[in-house]
Amino acid sequence: MSTELPLPAKTARRLKLWDSYRSYQYLAAGADYRAFELAPARGRVPGAALEWSEDVEVRARDFEERHLVVSAHDHLSLRPADPGDFAAYRRQGRESIPYEGIAHSGVDLFFDGGPAAVSMIRSHAPWDWDDAVSDLAMRQADLAHQRLVAPVRTLEDADRARAGDQVGVVLTLESASPIGNDIDRLDLLYGLGVRLLGLVYSESNQLGSGLADAGDTGLTLLGRRALRRMTDLGIIVDVSHSGDATALDAVRRSTAPVVITHAGSRALWPTPRMKPDDVIRACAGSGGFIGVEAAPHTTITARHPRHDLDSVMEHIERCIDLVGIDHVAFGPDTNFGDHTAWHRTFAPLFGKDDAHDGKAPELPPHEEVEYVRGCENPAEAVGNMIRWLFDRGYSEADVAKLAGGNVRRVAETVWGR
C-alpha cells in the first residue's frame, strides 16, 4: 500500500470506534485468565506489505467507500507470538479477536471461521460439541464489550453495521461434526448465531465423507436430513472440505444454493484440498459460488510456484473462466499470526498427516513459504485482491461482484432479509 496517501476515510472512522479495546480487557489478565504474548494485528512480517500505484490505490479506496466488501471465509483470531504456545492457548478457550487489524481491513462483512472448534477446552480431539458451543458463546461475550464489530445474523444487520462504520461478522463452523447424530443441535447452532456451516471437514463424519478420506459415498441418511434442516433454518451449506462425491450429492439434493467458501481449482493445483471442475460447476449451477483461498501452500500454480497474491489470483481467474464472474468470491482463509506454524501444529488433528493412506499427490515443483505475500492476514488479503483486479483493468461492476455482491446474493436467497 502506498505510504504517500492519507489513511482511508473508512479506516479512520473505524479506528475511532475501536478505541483501543483488547479482547477480554473487562477481566483481570493473569488472574481471570492466562495472558499470552500475541502476534501483532498489523505488520507481523516487516516489509511484506504490497505497494500499488496511486491511481489503483485511489480507485480501490473509492470503491471500498461505496460498496459492501465481503470476505467469505477468514479466521478473526489473534494467534500467540510463540507457535509453541498454540496448544495451551487453545485449551484456555479465550481466543483473542484482533480488533485493530479488523479496523484496518477495509472489509465490511467477514464470515468468521473463528477458533474452528479446535480449542480443546474439554476434549483433546477437534469438533467437540461442548468446545464448539464454548467458542461461539465466548466470542460473543467479548464482542458484547466493544463497539467496532457487530454480530450479523441477517442482511439487515450487515447493512446496519456498515452504515454505522462497524464491521459485520457472521459466525460459522467449518464442519457439522459437533452435532453428532442429533439434528436438533443444528437449531441450537442457529440460535447461537451460526449462519453458514460446513457439512464435513477433512475427516469423514456422520453426515458424509471428507476430502482427506480415500472413500466417498456421498451424504449419509443423516446427512440428507441435516441438509434439509439447514435449509429450513436458513443456514448456508458449505462444502469446502467435503469429499467430491459428498459435495455433488449435497448440490443434487439441496433446494438452496451450495457454496465453497475457501478452496481453489484442482485443474491448476492437483491436491484434494482444491476442487475439481465438476464440483465448482455444480455449486455455481445451484446459485452458489466458490470463494478462493490463500492459506499457505493451498492455491499455488505451476506458473506461480511460490505462493503469493499472483498465484491466488490465477485461481480466481481460472474459476471465472470456468463458471462466470457471478459465481466467484474472495475466501482468503487467513488469520493474524504465523499461519504456516499453525498448520504444522494442528494438521495431525485433522488427519492431514496421513490423508489418502499417506499417498500424497504428485505436485509440480514449488517453494515452501513462511507466509503468503499479499495475503498474510485478513487486514490485507481482500484489499490486495481488489487492487490486483483494478491494476489488471477489471471494471468496477465486476469487482463489485467478486468483492461482495455474489456472497450477498446467496445470503439473501438463504436468509431472506
Side-chain angles (χ1 to χ4, degrees):
M1 180 181 293
S2 173
T3 56
E4 298 178 1
L5 294 171
L7 200 67
K10 183 162 66 172
T11 300
R13 295 192 300 269
R14 286 174 174 172
L15 285 172
K16 290 181 181 179
L17 273 182
W18 170 50
D19 198 25
S20 300
Y21 176 83
R22 307 286 178 179
S23 281
Y24 311 117
Q25 73 176 40
Y26 55 91
L27 300 175
D32 295 320
Y33 66 97
R34 178 181 171 186
F36 290 86
E37 181 184 354
L38 302 176
R42 298 180 64 236
R44 187 185 74 85
V45 183
L50 300 183
E51 291 192 2
W52 301 96
S53 70
E54 183 171 348
D55 176 64
V56 166
E57 188 66 37
V58 168
R59 288 187 67 194
R61 291 185 179 191
D62 177 65
F63 174 88
E64 290 166 346
E65 284 288 332
R66 294 184 293 103
H67 293 273
L68 180 76
V69 177
V70 180
S71 166
H73 185 83
D74 263 314
H75 292 276
L76 301 181
S77 298
L78 197 56
R79 311 298 192 194
D82 181 356
D85 287 336
F86 280 170
Y89 177 65
R90 286 300 189 121
R91 290 190 179 105
Q92 182 172 233
R94 292 189 185 276
E95 187 97 356
S96 289
I97 298 171
Y99 294 105
E100 180 184 8
I102 292 170
H104 279 89
S105 69
V107 175
D108 298 305
L109 183 63
F110 282 102
F111 283 70
D112 177 25
V118 289
S119 59
M120 302 175 292
I121 304 163
R122 187 199 69 84
S123 171
H124 289 279
W127 307 120
D128 177 77
W129 170 256
D130 291 342
D131 285 358
V133 170
S134 179
D135 282 338
L136 291 166
M138 188 70 74
R139 214 157 181 74
Q140 293 184 80
D142 190 43
L143 292 174
H145 286 83
Q146 52 77 57
R147 299 182 300 157
L148 172 67
V149 176
V152 165
R153 301 185 178 200
T154 67
L155 282 175
E156 285 184 353
D157 290 342
D159 292 338
R160 189 180 306 112
R162 187 174 188 277
D165 292 323
Q166 293 179 294
V167 180
V169 169
V170 179
L171 297 177
T172 79
L173 284 178
E174 294 194 57
S175 177
S177 297
I179 74 167
N181 63 353
D182 186 351
I183 293 294
D184 288 341
R185 283 183 169 179
L186 291 170
D187 299 61
L188 300 182
L189 291 177
Y190 185 85
L192 288 168
V194 172
R195 291 296 181 271
L196 181 145
L197 181 62
L199 288 176
V200 190
Y201 200 71
S202 295
E203 292 183 308
S204 298
N205 60 22
Q206 295 191 62
L207 277 62
S209 295
L211 60 86
D213 275 324
D216 186 353
T217 57
L219 291 173
T220 63
L221 178 60
L222 184 71
R224 298 173 194 174
R225 292 175 55 214
L227 188 73
R228 288 195 298 271
R229 181 66 63 87
M230 290 167 67
T231 301
D232 291 342
L233 285 165
I235 296 176
I236 299 171
V237 175
D238 184 10
V239 294
S240 294
H241 286 272
S242 301
D244 297 340
T246 295
L248 290 170
D249 200 13
V251 172
R252 185 164 53 248
R253 297 178 184 279
S254 179
T255 58
V258 173
V259 305
I260 304 162
T261 59
H262 57 297
S265 168
R266 198 177 297 170
L268 289 179
W269 200 244
T271 70
R273 183 65 190 86
M274 302 292 97
K275 295 301 180 186
D277 287 357
D278 59 344
V279 171
I280 298 172
R281 285 196 190 99
C283 288
S286 77
F289 61 81
I290 176 170
V292 174
E293 74 165 303
H297 307 121
T298 56
T299 43
I300 310 171
T301 71
R303 284 178 55 206
H304 298 99
R306 181 176 177 81
H307 199 189
D308 62 8
L309 178 63
D310 286 332
S311 59
V312 174
M313 300 308 291
E314 187 176 347
H315 278 264
I316 284 178
E317 292 196 310
R318 171 66 173 72
C319 292
I320 292 171
D321 289 342
L322 181 67
V323 294
I325 204 160
D326 291 324
H327 300 286
V328 184
F330 302 151
D333 190 21
T334 57
N335 62 49
F336 292 85
D338 191 335
H339 203 152
T340 302
W342 187 94
H343 278 172
R344 293 191 193 107
T345 300
F346 286 100
L349 283 174
F350 300 115
K352 293 180 181 178
D353 53 343
D354 58 358
H356 295 269
D357 299 321
K359 298 176 182 177
E362 290 290 331
L363 295 174
H366 63 286
E367 297 182 50
E368 297 241 342
V369 297
E370 292 303 310
Y371 67 95
V372 180
R373 188 155 193 257
C375 298
E376 200 275 330
N377 61 69
E380 69 175 33
V382 167
N384 280 330
M385 291 175 177
I386 289 171
R387 284 153 178 78
W388 190 98
L389 292 168
F390 279 128
D391 190 52
R392 297 320 192 269
Y394 278 75
S395 70
E396 180 174 322
D398 283 345
V399 176
K401 293 177 180 180
L402 296 166
N406 295 336
V407 179
R408 184 187 181 99
R409 183 194 69 244
V410 170
E412 189 163 3
T413 301
V414 179
W415 300 347
R417 287 292 304 167

